[in-house]
Each structure stands twice: as structure tokens, then as C-alpha cells.
Amino acid sequence: IPCVIDKNASQKREEKDAVIDNLSGLNILVVEDNKINAEIAEYILKKSGAEVTLANNGKEAVDVFAETDENYYDIILMDVMMPVMNGYEATRNIRKLHRKDAKKIPIIAMTANAFDEDRKKAIKAGMNGHIAKPIDVNVILQNLDRIFGQNGDEDTMAKE
């Protein structure tokens, strides 16, 4: 079997590691009812330096968010289709909480529904962006980098 050695492999690896390490210090709430998807997201984000809290459904996410100190979480990655309370309803409930961070925290939809109408529905519910499943490490990191690469400026939030 012929083999080609990539002489730039170590440089590419260093660049990839630099991107992955950019989440250090972030507290992320991941809301996902599918245990395997939750574990994958948690692994990816922790490997990238983030602290991760998992919630199994929208109601649990609202409760967890409401019970933490203001500005504890930097971002919420929210599944859309879940039992008990879906992601749209959970987002609306978080946005209604009487605390300043509830109005401004970035909430990104994670869903298998990747049509334009699904993205619009997510934005209408109060979400700041949309990531299609299956989870792609690079897409998550690009969205987070866009949000936090600009000091969290709300005008730079991903609308994908």
C-alpha cells in the first residue's frame, strides 16, 4: 500500500489544538435528552477546555439556569425536540426570567432539523443561532469562536 507522509502534519496539529483550546474557562449548559449525544457534546467541550453542565430536558435546563448565580453560564447549547419541555419553550422561559443574564446569554439550537424555517423558528423563540445535528466539532467551535471571539458582542452571534 503506497503511503504519503504529510510533512506539515505537526503544524496542522498545533493549529487544530490552538483552536480547540479557545474554550478554556467557559461554563456551558448543554441541554440534550439523548444520553449519547449529551456525552459526545460534553466530551468535545471539556476537551476544548470548557466546564460543562448537562440537563436532560428543557424544564431541567430552566431550573438549572434559574438556580445558578447570575452570569455563571456563558452559553447554552439547546436541543430542540425533548420530552417534558422542548427547546423553544425552554428558551422562552429562560428569556422571561427576572435576571439580566437571561436576556443576553447566547442560546444555540442543536437539532437534526436544518431547514431555513427551523432556523427562523429558533431565532423567533429567542435563540441566537442554530447548529445542525449530527454534532460537528468544527461547527460548534466555529460558532463559539464567533460568539466569544468578539467579546460576546451580541451583534456577532452566529445565525447559522
Side-chain angles (χ1 to χ4, degrees):
I1 299 174
C3 231
V4 177
I5 297 174
D6 184 353
K7 295 179 183 176
N8 296 322
S10 69
Q11 180 182 356
K12 289 177 185 174
R13 178 76 174 160
E14 288 172 16
E15 289 171 2
K16 184 178 178 184
D17 288 346
V19 171
I20 289 177
D21 288 340
N22 69 353
L23 302 181
S24 293
L26 293 182
N27 288 311
I28 300 175
L29 176 57
V30 175
V31 188
E32 173 63 65
D33 65 316
N34 181 295
K35 187 174 182 175
I36 293 171
N37 288 346
E39 288 175 2
I40 291 168
E42 181 180 33
Y43 174 79
I44 290 167
L45 296 169
K46 282 187 172 183
K47 188 173 180 181
S48 301
E51 294 294 322
V52 178
T53 303
L54 296 176
N56 297 309
N57 61 61
K59 180 171 181 352
E60 189 176 319
V62 174
D63 293 344
V64 166
F65 184 83
E67 292 169 6
T68 58
D69 292 334
E70 206 165 294
N71 298 311
Y72 177 78
Y73 290 108
D74 297 294
I75 189 167
I76 301 172
L77 298 177
M78 179 82 70
D79 186 17
V80 172
M81 299 183 70
M82 296 179 287
V84 183
M85 181 185 292
N86 70 42
Y88 300 131
E89 189 177 348
T91 297
R92 286 190 288 271
N93 284 328
I94 288 170
R95 297 290 188 218
K96 289 178 189 175
L97 293 173
H98 297 288
R99 38 190 286 180
K100 292 177 184 177
D101 63 338
K103 310 294 185 262
K104 66 178 184 171
I105 186 165
I107 302 176
I108 306 296
M110 294 190 307
T111 178
N113 302 329
F115 296 107
D116 191 47
E117 71 180 56
D118 298 307
R119 293 171 198 238
K120 289 177 182 173
K121 195 172 179 180
I123 300 302
K124 185 176 180 183
M127 296 179 174
N128 303 91
H130 182 278
I131 297 173
K133 289 181 183 177
I135 297 169
D136 181 330
V137 179
N138 292 326
V139 173
I140 289 176
L141 294 175
Q142 287 168 1
N143 274 271
L144 295 176
D145 189 51
R146 271 187 246 157
I147 291 168
F148 296 107
Q150 301 294 327
N151 297 321
D153 184 350
E154 291 181 37
D155 293 335
T156 65
M157 302 237 181
K159 302 287 187 203
E160 295 196 22

